């Protein structure tokens, strides 16, 4: 494609077509379906606060985009969302106006083009040309010229050179430097550093693992199919730590027959481990009535419901939002699970009636950023305070609902100390509950630290950064 069209010969610059003839309109460029799907995903995230990992798979299925095209759309859609802060820093250095003044439709394409230039092997001319075509379709020829100029500047250096130019000094601001290098907001990088404590040397590894695209994790429904059987059917590998987990390199798990038959589900291995840990803690007396206090969308309720079914028990699952309660019902179909629509802080359930209670509390989700690519740029530091209030209230509710001698599991997908150790220590002290050393119930999992809590990490365990605290209510 040429970017500077030659002048038409003959006649003046303002002359029209010969009399009696009409000039054929310029055909719009044919856009690559994979790039269009990625762009529409970015637009949905920007305009509707949508989740990329929900929007893109639906687009691919509806448009029958498969194989290499689906892989390209996934790489571009998720990758661009994940790297947005880094891409914006580079684009801002290349544009002649603040990015806040750039049309949102154009900015989506610029981010998509910059990602191709900096983080893929797509040839620069193809990345620029395809992006300019998209901008012309979206916003006209003038915007296309602007996009062409910006992306050509971006292409003059690779990612490492841009980072070297734009990142804060590694000597004076090491966390800020690592944050830009790994496409994280600085406050999130700082929260990782705080959680790692004396292991600050791991911060670069933790952020890099969090910036990498994860594989697909499946969970075999306990009692109905084994991990080995699921691995054989799907072509995956049994997970290293979860007795029910299977890892796949890639693919659309929704197309797998075991998932369609409710024999398996998509679930990060870390989420499996924390649910299984709660089921392993010994209790005296009855062990037949379990409770998932914040059950939506139903992944952990599926595991717990299957485990309690094996021993003839039942699971109550509470979810405040009706649409998420519907997802819990779907996830636990065929299991002895009763779904209640209500607030877990004040559920209409008998106090002291449950042998085991799981609090999978709403949180910042900083531990699952690699699976929710846009979340790191959507979350704000001020979100933490409101969430910790809810977390405390949910845990107090769980402490009322569990029977004497029963156990409570507190779980969040975050390493932020305010949501993890801060909540656990304060809750146990106020309720005078025994803190159970959770490490014992993660057998075979290395590098669990000094306890009594467990913090999983992508760079150590290949899981989301799940936190687990276990408590026992005193007998009297």
């Amino acid at each position: 494609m040429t970017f500077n069209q030659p002048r038409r010969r003959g006649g003046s610059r303002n002359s029209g077509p010969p009399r009696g003839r009409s000039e054929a309109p310029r055909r719009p460029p044919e856009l690559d379906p994979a790039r269009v799907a990625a762009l529409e995903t970015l637009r949905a995230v920007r305009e509707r606060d949508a989740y990329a990992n929900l929007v893109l798979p639906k687009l691919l299925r509806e448009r029958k985009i498969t194989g290499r095209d689906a892989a390209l759309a996934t790489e571009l859609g998720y990758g661009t969302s994940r790297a947005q802060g880094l891409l914006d820093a580079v684009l801002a250095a290349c544009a002649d106006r603040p990015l806040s003044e750039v049309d949102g439709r154009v900015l989506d394409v610029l981010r998509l083009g910059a990602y191709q230039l900096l983080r893929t092997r797509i040839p620069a001319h193809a990345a620029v040309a395809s992006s300019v075509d998209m901008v012309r379709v979206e916003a006209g020829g003038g915007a296309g010229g602007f996009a062409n100029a910006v992306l050509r500047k971006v292409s003059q250096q690779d990612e490492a050179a841009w980072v070297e130019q734009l990142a804060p000094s590694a000597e004076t601001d090491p966390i800020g430097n690592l944050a830009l290098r790994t496409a994280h907001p600085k406050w999130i990088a700082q929260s990782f550093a705080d959680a790692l404590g004396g292991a600050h040397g791991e911060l670069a590894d933790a952020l890099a693992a969090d910036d990498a695209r994860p594989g697909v994790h499946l969970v075999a429904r306990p009692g109905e199919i084994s991990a080995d059987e699921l691995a054989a059917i799907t072509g995956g590998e049994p997970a290293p730590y979860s007795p029910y987990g299977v890892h796949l390199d890639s693919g659309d798990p929704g197309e797998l027959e075991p998932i369609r038959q409710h024999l398996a589900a998509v679930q990060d291995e870390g989420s499996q481990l924390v649910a299984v840990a709660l089921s392993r803690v010994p209790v005296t007396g009855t062990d037949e009535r379990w409770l998932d206090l914040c059950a939506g969308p139903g992944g952990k309720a599926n595991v717990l419901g299957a485990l309690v079914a094996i021993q003839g028990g039942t699971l109550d699952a509470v979810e405040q939002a009706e649409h998420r309660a519907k997802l819990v019902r779907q996830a636990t179909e065929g299991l002895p699970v009763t779904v209640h629509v209500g607030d877990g802080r004040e559920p209409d359930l008998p106090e002291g009636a449950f042998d085991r209670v799981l609090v999978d509390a709403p949180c910042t989700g900083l531990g699952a950023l690699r699976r929710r690519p846009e979340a790191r740029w959507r979350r704000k530091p001020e979100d933490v305070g409101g969430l910790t209030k809810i977390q405390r209230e949910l845990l107090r509710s769980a402490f009322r609902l569990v029977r004497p001698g029963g156990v409570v599991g507190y779980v969040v997908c975050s390493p932020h100390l305010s949501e993890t150790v801060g909540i656990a220590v304060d809750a146990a002290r106020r309720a005078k509950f025994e803190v159970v050393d959770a490490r014992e119930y993660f057998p075979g999992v290395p590098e669990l630290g000094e306890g009594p809590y467990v913090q999983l990490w992508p760079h150590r365990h290949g899981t989301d950064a799940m936190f687990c605290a276990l408590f026992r209510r005193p007998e009297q």
Side-chain angles (χ1 to χ4, degrees), residues 80-252:
T80 302
S81 296
R82 189 177 296 115
Q84 180 181 310
L86 171 62
L87 301 176
D88 283 1
V90 175
L91 290 169
C94 296
D96 60 2
R97 69 198 72 166
L99 296 188
S100 59
E101 297 179 7
V102 177
D103 185 295
R105 298 168 300 168
V106 175
L107 184 56
D108 290 338
V109 181
L110 289 177
R111 289 167 173 163
L112 190 65
Y115 182 81
Q116 294 173 71
L117 290 169
L118 299 178
R119 289 200 162 187
T120 75
R121 296 181 180 178
I122 295 171
H125 67 86
V128 174
S130 62
S131 300
V132 171
D133 282 347
M134 294 178 94
V135 168
R136 284 176 172 158
V137 169
E138 291 286 326
F146 168 73
N148 182 36
V150 171
L151 291 176
R152 285 186 174 277
K153 289 181 181 178
V154 173
S155 70
Q156 291 173 2
Q157 297 188 107
D158 63 12
E159 179 183 349
W162 278 115
V163 168
E164 197 64 31
Q165 175 181 327
L166 299 173
S169 166
E171 293 184 1
T172 60
D173 187 3
I175 291 178
N177 182 278
L178 281 174
L180 186 66
R181 289 183 182 278
T182 58
H184 284 79
K186 184 178 177 180
W187 77 273
I188 293 180
Q190 182 65 61
S191 74
F192 278 40
D194 295 341
L196 288 165
H200 270 235
E202 290 185 69
L203 180 59
D205 291 339
L207 293 173
D210 197 53
D211 196 38
R213 181 181 169 191
V216 178
H217 292 185
L218 305 180
V219 60
R221 181 177 275 188
E224 298 193 24
I225 187 173
S226 71
D228 287 338
E229 290 169 333
L230 180 60
I233 294 170
T234 60
E237 293 289 335
Y241 310 123
S242 169
Y244 309 108
V246 170
H247 289 189
L248 302 177
D249 288 335
S250 60
D252 181 1

Side-chain angles (χ1 to χ4, degrees), residues 79-432:
T80 302
S81 296
R82 189 177 296 115
Q84 180 181 310
L86 171 62
L87 301 176
D88 283 1
V90 175
L91 290 169
C94 296
D96 60 2
R97 69 198 72 166
L99 296 188
S100 59
E101 297 179 7
V102 177
D103 185 295
R105 298 168 300 168
V106 175
L107 184 56
D108 290 338
V109 181
L110 289 177
R111 289 167 173 163
L112 190 65
Y115 182 81
Q116 294 173 71
L117 290 169
L118 299 178
R119 289 200 162 187
T120 75
R121 296 181 180 178
I122 295 171
H125 67 86
V128 174
S130 62
S131 300
V132 171
D133 282 347
M134 294 178 94
V135 168
R136 284 176 172 158
V137 169
E138 291 286 326
F146 168 73
N148 182 36
V150 171
L151 291 176
R152 285 186 174 277
K153 289 181 181 178
V154 173
S155 70
Q156 291 173 2
Q157 297 188 107
D158 63 12
E159 179 183 349
W162 278 115
V163 168
E164 197 64 31
Q165 175 181 327
L166 299 173
S169 166
E171 293 184 1
T172 60
D173 187 3
I175 291 178
N177 182 278
L178 281 174
L180 186 66
R181 289 183 182 278
T182 58
H184 284 79
K186 184 178 177 180
W187 77 273
I188 293 180
Q190 182 65 61
S191 74
F192 278 40
D194 295 341
L196 288 165
H200 270 235
E202 290 185 69
L203 180 59
D205 291 339
L207 293 173
D210 197 53
D211 196 38
R213 181 181 169 191
V216 178
H217 292 185
L218 305 180
V219 60
R221 181 177 275 188
E224 298 193 24
I225 187 173
S226 71
D228 287 338
E229 290 169 333
L230 180 60
I233 294 170
T234 60
E237 293 289 335
Y241 310 123
S242 169
Y244 309 108
V246 170
H247 289 189
L248 302 177
D249 288 335
S250 60
D252 181 1
E255 299 297 319
L256 298 173
E257 195 62 27
I259 289 183
R260 293 182 176 183
Q261 295 179 1
H262 294 283
L263 295 174
V266 177
Q267 186 177 48
D268 180 79
E269 187 178 1
S271 293
Q272 300 172 40
L273 288 170
V274 295
V276 173
L278 174 64
S279 75
R280 286 173 166 161
V281 183
V283 295
T284 57
T286 63
D287 193 15
E288 299 173 351
R289 193 170 184 189
W290 297 5
L291 171 64
D292 185 346
L293 202 54
C294 316
K300 296 179 184 68
N302 172 50
V303 174
L304 292 175
L307 289 171
V308 77
I310 293 172
Q311 58 196 55
T314 62
L315 175 74
D316 288 84
V318 178
E319 172 51 50
Q320 186 170 13
E322 175 58 50
H323 70 282
R324 286 171 63 86
K326 182 179 178 181
L327 295 176
V328 179
R329 295 187 190 99
Q330 292 171 349
T332 59
E333 183 180 341
L335 296 173
V337 176
T338 301
V339 179
H340 308 268
V341 178
D343 189 335
R345 293 171 291 185
E346 294 290 342
D348 187 17
L349 294 170
E351 295 188 3
F354 296 93
D355 303 302
R356 300 179 191 269
V357 180
L358 174 68
V359 180
D360 182 16
C363 68
T364 57
L366 301 188
L369 297 179
R370 60 191 193 137
R371 297 193 185 278
R372 300 167 188 163
E374 73 291 324
R376 69 187 65 188
W377 311 112
R378 183 175 288 169
R379 279 297 184 194
K380 304 297 179 187
E382 52 268 27
D383 295 341
V384 177
L387 287 164
T388 55
K389 180 176 183 293
I390 295 171
Q391 290 156 5
R392 288 190 185 92
E393 291 169 349
L394 285 166
L395 198 44
R396 283 199 296 267
S397 175
F399 287 172
R400 293 193 301 269
L401 293 164
V402 72
R403 67 165 175 82
V407 293
V408 172
Y410 172 72
V411 170
V412 286
C413 190
S414 172
H416 198 295
L417 291 178
S418 295
E419 299 185 277
T420 58
V421 175
I423 293 290
V425 169
D426 181 66
R429 178 182 59 82
R430 289 176 181 271
K432 296 181 172 56

